[in-house]
């Protein structure tokens, strides 16, 4: 075996090849870019009408950055489950999974390759939106380090949603069920946790940090805290240096690791030692 | 090569495989016959490490399937009864992917893939997309796929289902070649006569139990010993019947609208001599033929004595 053989996992290579060949992928990339571009230019159009070209200052440019980033975050939550919730159940439905499972590929390498392949596709899509951000840099107001941290955050959320999608795909026979559950999970963490945090902050006395912790499970909340340090202070109080994303990252790292480990465990049937057989 | 002992698989309270015990020697082509739902695919899935047995043991090449699934996977090539292909792959890419999945190096794959395509007669389809192949071609491709890592044991679950007669004959030729290469093959079907033509040994499974197991050569001898002759004469058939009933090797004889039926236990030479005597007595013979015997009946007859399980 030479070096490339060892580095490029066959399942990963296969996923790349098949994905890049399907028309669906191209349509996905195109529609994502069109959606992002429409949103960005829509924002520009509206603000320019209101204030005119001169008024487009760094502050407004920062607004545009927040707007693009927020939209991207929402689009990611729409795309990632669709891309990952079918990776195992899809093979099961196409009746290719059995054959794959009789090869010498380990469960871990199958699961991780599939996750990596769908995520690389998402990364490709997100990187394809970089030119949109050039508009922001044109007008200033945003530092490259902010942009980098936002992209890292995107990557983190994609890995997490992807792992959950792969988990449901492994545990449920039907892709349809896996897709619905993954979107259900997404709706819960994007919407439900946010609403719950608002509700808690309304009924709990000032200074109680529970609402902040709940918001810490919300990607939008974590993103806001990443973009604006003052946001966390509003939730956790002036004195606290705790940031919402400080809760988000460890919590979902745990979720991601668990989802991946369980997928690896349950991909193949658990071949227990039959009862009555002594140790050989 | 395969040692199955008291293998049982239950789905809830339903027993799909019921304390199955059998051995298959290295180099044997074993046919697994049984009606729908008999438990053939279940047994084969367990051997292919895809299904956990409820109890009992199954060993492939000395490795217990539940304990050393990795070693078993290295030894076997498995073709499921229903399988899909990755449509966006070309034929060679398809084989290349599985070769790589078995850890073959690029050079090894480059070498073996053309040989495999040659073996299954798909060389001219090497650069075609897999979804453009016909069903029979996909089946042959899947068979080639099973062979990519040169396994010692092939587990083929109804590999000829949905194939036209010509494709079946081709499949039989391929299996013959594989047998010559020294592979052990276990192959399932619910058609005994078809299977009997390509295997050495047959096991009959019904409702999860192995009810008979025997060598095909024994069956063929049994068939010879139990053949039924069908004779038609121009006239005087009842007279001839009386004469034939006295002949040696004739165990039973009767006459109906179709002519005379004889259960005949002699050799081919005895059968020819009998025809000579008929003609010698002046009977005008219109037809003298062996009736098709029912393979299933003979098989069950032969294997009835051997107590299994
Ligand atoms: N996942 C399952 N859950 C419950 N019952 C099952 C399951 N898989 C198979 N069975 C049952 O086990 C029995 C054996 O099935 P199996 O597929 O092994 O039969 P078979 O001999 O291969 O039949 P065929 O000739 O139709 O392929 C059947 O009665 C089937 O209904
Ligand atoms: Mg079957």
């Amino acid at each position: 075996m030479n070096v490339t053989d060892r580095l490029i996992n066959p399942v990963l290579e296969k996923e790349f090849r098949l994905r890049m060949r399907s028309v669906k992928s191209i349509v996905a990339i195109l529609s994502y870019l069109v959606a992002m571009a429409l949103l960005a230019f829509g924002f520009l159009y509206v603000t320019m009408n209101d204030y005119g070209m001169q008024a487009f200052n760094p502050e407004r440019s920062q607004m545009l950055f927040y707007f693009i980033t927020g939209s991207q975050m929402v689009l990611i939550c729409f795309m990632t489950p669709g891309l990952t919730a079918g990776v195992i159940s899809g093979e099961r439905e196409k009746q290719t999974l059995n054959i794959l499972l009789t090869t010498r590929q380990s469960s871990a390498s199958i699961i991780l390759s599939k996750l990596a392949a769908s995520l690389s596709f998402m990364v490709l899509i997100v990187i394809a939106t970089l030119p949109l951000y050039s508009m922001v840099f044109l007008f200033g107001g945003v530092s490259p380090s902010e942009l980098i941290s936002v992209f890292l955050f995107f990557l983190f959320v994609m890995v997490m949603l992807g792992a959950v999608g792969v988990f449901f795909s492994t545990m449920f026979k039907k892709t349809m069920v896996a897709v619905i559950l993954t979107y259900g999970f997404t709706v819960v963490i994007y919407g439900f946790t946010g609403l719950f945090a608002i509700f808690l902050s309304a009924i709990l006395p000032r200074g109680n940090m529970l609402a902040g912790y709940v918001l810490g499970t919300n990607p939008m909340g974590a993103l806001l805290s990443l973009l604006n340090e003052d946001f966390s202070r509003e939730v956790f109080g002036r004195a606290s240096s705790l940031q919402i994303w400080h809760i988000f990252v460890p919590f979902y790292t745990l979720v991601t690791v668990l989802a991946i480990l369980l997928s690896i465990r349950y991909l193949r049937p658990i071949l227990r030692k039959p009862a009555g057989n002594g140790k050989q | 090569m395969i040692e199955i002992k008291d293998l049982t698989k239950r789905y809830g309270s339903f027993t799909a495989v019921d304390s199955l015990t059998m051995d298959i020697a290295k180099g044997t082509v074993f046919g697994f016959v049984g009606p729908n739902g008999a438990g053939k695919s279940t047994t084969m899935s367990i051997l292919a490490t895809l299904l956990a047995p409820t109890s009992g043991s199954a060993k492939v090449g000395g490795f217990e399937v539940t304990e050393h699934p990795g070693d078993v996977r290295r030894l076997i090539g498995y073709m499921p009864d229903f399988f899909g292909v990755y449509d966006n792959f070309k034929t060679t890419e398809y084989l290349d992917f599985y070769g790589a999945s078995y850890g073959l190096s690029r050079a090894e794959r480059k070498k073996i893939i053309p040989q495999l395509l040659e073996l299954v007669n798909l060389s001219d389809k090497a650069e075609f997309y897999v979804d453009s192949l016909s069903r029979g071609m996909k089946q042959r491709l899947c068979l080639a796929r099973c062979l990519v890592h040169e396994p010692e044991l092939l587990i083929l679950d109804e590999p000829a289902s949905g194939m036209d007669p010509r494709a079946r004959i081709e499949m039989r030729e391929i299996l013959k070649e594989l047998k010559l290469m020294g592979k052990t093959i276990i192959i399932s079907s619910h058609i005994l006569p078809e299977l009997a033509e390509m295997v050495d040994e047959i096991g009959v499974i019904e409702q999860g139990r192995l009810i008979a197991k025997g060598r095909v050569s024994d069956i063929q001898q049994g068939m010879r010993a139990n053949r039924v002759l069908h004779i038609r004469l121009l006239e005087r058939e009842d007279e001839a019947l009386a004469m034939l009933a006295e002949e040696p090797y004739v165990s039973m004889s009767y006459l109906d609208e179709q002519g005379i039926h004889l259960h005949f236990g002699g050799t081919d030479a005895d059968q020819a001599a009998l025809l000579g005597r008929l003609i010698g007595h002046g009977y005008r013979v219109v037809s003298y033929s062996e009736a098709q015997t029912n393979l299933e009946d003979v098989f069950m007859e032969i294997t009835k004595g051997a107590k299994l399980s």
Side-chain angles (χ1 to χ4, degrees):
Chain A
M1 274 212 175
N2 60 37
V3 185
T4 48
D5 274 353
R6 221 170 311 147
L7 283 183
I8 299 172
N9 175 287
V11 180
L12 192 63
E13 187 190 338
K14 168 213 140 211
E15 291 290 312
F16 278 141
R17 259 192 220 209
L18 293 187
R19 233 181 241 286
M20 286 309 156
R21 264 181 201 168
S22 82
V23 183
K24 224 169 62 186
S25 305
I26 308 213
V27 172
I29 297 183
L30 278 181
S31 36
Y32 190 92
L33 285 182
V34 168
M36 281 304 299
L38 281 180
L39 284 169
F41 285 110
F43 182 89
L44 274 182
Y45 181 76
V46 170
T47 44
M48 294 233 185
N49 265 10
D50 285 358
Y51 305 97
M53 188 61 192
Q54 316 84 309
F56 206 86
N57 50 33
E59 199 181 313
R60 234 149 255 300
S61 155
Q62 200 175 30
M63 286 277 289
L64 174 65
F65 175 65
Y66 289 178
F67 180 75
I68 298 181
T69 305
S71 319
Q72 183 114 295
M73 199 68 219
V74 172
L75 281 179
I76 285 174
C77 94
F78 275 110
M79 297 277 296
T80 316
L83 279 172
T84 55
V87 292
I88 302 296
S89 50
E91 290 231 4
R92 202 179 280 128
E93 280 164 344
K94 272 197 305 181
Q95 300 180 313
T96 49
L97 185 64
N98 263 358
I99 300 178
L100 187 59
L101 292 185
T102 53
T103 67
R104 303 215 69 204
Q105 291 298 306
S106 67
S107 301
S109 102
I110 294 175
I111 293 286
L112 292 176
S113 307
K114 292 233 158 210
L115 183 61
S118 20
L119 289 181
S120 332
F121 187 68
M122 276 304 296
V123 169
L124 175 72
I125 292 185
V126 171
I127 286 175
T129 64
L130 266 178
L132 282 176
Y133 283 91
S134 63
M135 285 197 302
V136 175
F137 284 115
L138 199 61
F139 296 111
V142 176
S143 71
S145 71
E146 264 180 298
L147 185 65
I148 290 172
S149 59
V150 160
F151 268 72
L152 285 178
F153 186 75
F154 284 161
L155 186 66
F156 180 75
V157 173
M158 289 187 296
V159 171
M160 185 269 289
L161 284 179
V164 170
V166 171
F167 168 72
F168 284 128
S169 191
T170 310
M171 298 308 281
F172 294 90
K173 290 217 156 57
K174 293 261 178 305
T175 300
M176 213 47 191
V177 177
V179 167
I180 289 170
L181 285 172
T182 314
Y183 277 115
F185 175 83
T186 314
V187 167
V188 166
I189 68 162
Y190 269 73
F192 190 78
T193 53
L195 293 176
F196 192 53
I198 292 170
F199 170 73
L200 281 178
S201 64
I203 59 157
L204 289 173
R206 259 198 105 68
N208 191 313
M209 282 161 63
L210 187 62
Y213 284 113
V214 172
L215 203 57
T217 60
N218 186 299
M220 286 314 215
L223 181 64
L224 267 179
S225 82
L226 200 64
L227 294 174
N228 184 346
E229 296 197 354
D230 294 334
F231 180 66
S232 297
R233 287 203 193 100
E234 269 170 48
V235 193
F236 293 121
R238 297 267 149 229
S240 172
S241 61
L242 187 64
Q243 295 276 320
I244 290 177
W245 65 270
H246 292 165
I247 299 165
F248 186 85
V249 172
F251 179 71
Y252 284 108
T253 303
L254 192 70
V255 169
T256 307
V257 170
L258 262 182
I260 292 176
L261 287 181
L262 288 173
S263 310
I264 293 173
R265 179 98 177 98
Y266 288 103
L267 176 64
R268 288 193 162 101
I270 298 167
L271 298 172
R272 255 182 249 98
K273 215 180 266 185
N277 263 20
K279 187 113 191 96
Q280 59 165 23
Chain B
M1 191 74 207
I2 300 181
E3 298 159 70
I4 299 176
K5 196 156 180 295
D6 287 328
L7 190 72
T8 302
K9 174 70 192 177
R10 286 195 201 93
Y11 293 108
S13 61
F14 177 79
T15 308
V17 176
D18 194 355
S19 44
L20 187 75
T21 299
M22 66 176 189
D23 287 354
I24 297 170
K26 203 172 162 59
T28 309
V29 183
F30 182 83
F32 214 12
V33 203
N36 291 138
K40 306 181 292 291
S41 300
T42 306
T43 311
M44 290 171 128
S45 300
I46 292 173
L47 288 175
T49 73
L50 291 171
L51 200 63
T54 311
S55 65
S57 123
K59 282 188 189 163
V60 173
F63 297 108
E64 181 70 50
V65 288
T66 52
E67 284 168 28
H68 306 280
D71 293 304
V72 173
R73 279 177 208 132
R74 186 167 40 85
L75 289 178
I76 62 167
Y78 171 62
M79 178 166 171
D81 43 357
F82 299 104
F83 64 89
V85 289
Y86 302 109
D87 290 344
N88 284 328
F89 264 154
K90 290 177 182 165
T91 304
T92 38
E93 289 172 330
Y94 176 84
L95 293 175
D96 191 71
F97 163 61
Y98 286 105
S101 297
Y102 277 107
L104 266 61
S105 73
R106 207 166 288 272
E108 288 172 307
R109 285 178 266 154
K110 265 225 166 69
K111 186 161 154 277
I112 195 158
I113 290 172
Q115 296 172 1
L116 289 175
L117 288 175
E118 181 74 45
L119 178 75
V120 298
N121 287 328
L122 283 177
S123 299
D124 53 333
K125 300 281 181 190
E127 290 305 313
F128 280 55
Y129 277 98
V130 168
D131 67 344
S132 71
L133 300 183
S134 75
R135 174 165 174 181
M137 291 176 190
K138 280 184 193 159
Q139 258 157 319
R140 277 182 285 161
L141 180 62
C142 190
L143 184 65
R145 191 223 81 230
C146 292
L147 296 164
V148 78
H149 57 303
E150 304 187 47
E152 291 177 33
L153 170 69
L154 295 175
I155 301 175
L156 312 175
D157 199 349
E158 302 197 31
S161 68
M163 284 190 165
D164 64 22
R166 218 194 85 200
R168 277 161 193 267
I169 292 168
E170 278 173 9
M171 177 65 98
R172 203 185 305 155
E173 294 306 311
I174 295 170
L175 288 178
K176 251 184 218 157
E177 252 170 84
L178 292 174
K179 185 183 156 56
L180 284 179
M181 289 157 75
K183 311 245 180 242
T184 311
I185 307 176
I186 164 164
I187 168 173
S188 80
S189 168
H190 39 252
I191 311 166
L192 181 57
E194 177 191 287
L195 209 54
E197 289 175 38
M198 42 183 150
V199 304
D200 308 323
E201 226 174 85
I202 281 182
V204 183
I205 181 169
E206 245 181 81
Q207 298 182 342
R209 294 180 154 275
L210 190 68
I211 55 171
K213 182 168 178 276
R215 299 199 66 80
V216 171
S217 51
D218 294 342
I219 306 170
Q220 279 158 351
Q221 250 167 33
M223 299 251 309
R224 192 149 302 128
N226 290 284
R227 77 189 108 178
V228 176
L229 296 181
H230 179 210
I231 305 165
R232 268 178 59 219
L233 303 178
L234 212 50
E235 70 272 297
R236 298 195 290 149
E237 283 188 332
D238 34 2
E239 221 176 281
L241 184 69
M243 171 210 139
L244 287 169
E246 302 301 313
E247 284 288 328
Y249 308 117
V250 174
S251 54
M252 201 176 97
S253 57
Y254 62 92
L255 180 67
D256 63 14
E257 303 87 71
Q258 279 140 37
I260 300 168
H261 301 263
L262 287 186
H263 284 234
F264 189 74
T267 62
D268 283 356
D270 300 326
Q271 188 176 328
L274 182 68
L275 176 62
R277 285 197 288 285
L278 263 180
I279 294 169
H281 280 86
Y283 294 110
R284 294 199 283 171
V285 179
V286 178
S287 96
Y288 184 85
S289 60
E290 254 176 66
Q292 203 69 51
T293 23
N294 190 335
L295 189 61
E296 277 91 351
D297 291 349
V298 177
F299 186 73
M300 295 318 287
E301 187 70 29
I302 303 274
T303 53
K304 200 166 53 189
K307 180 81 191 101
L308 295 145
S309 85

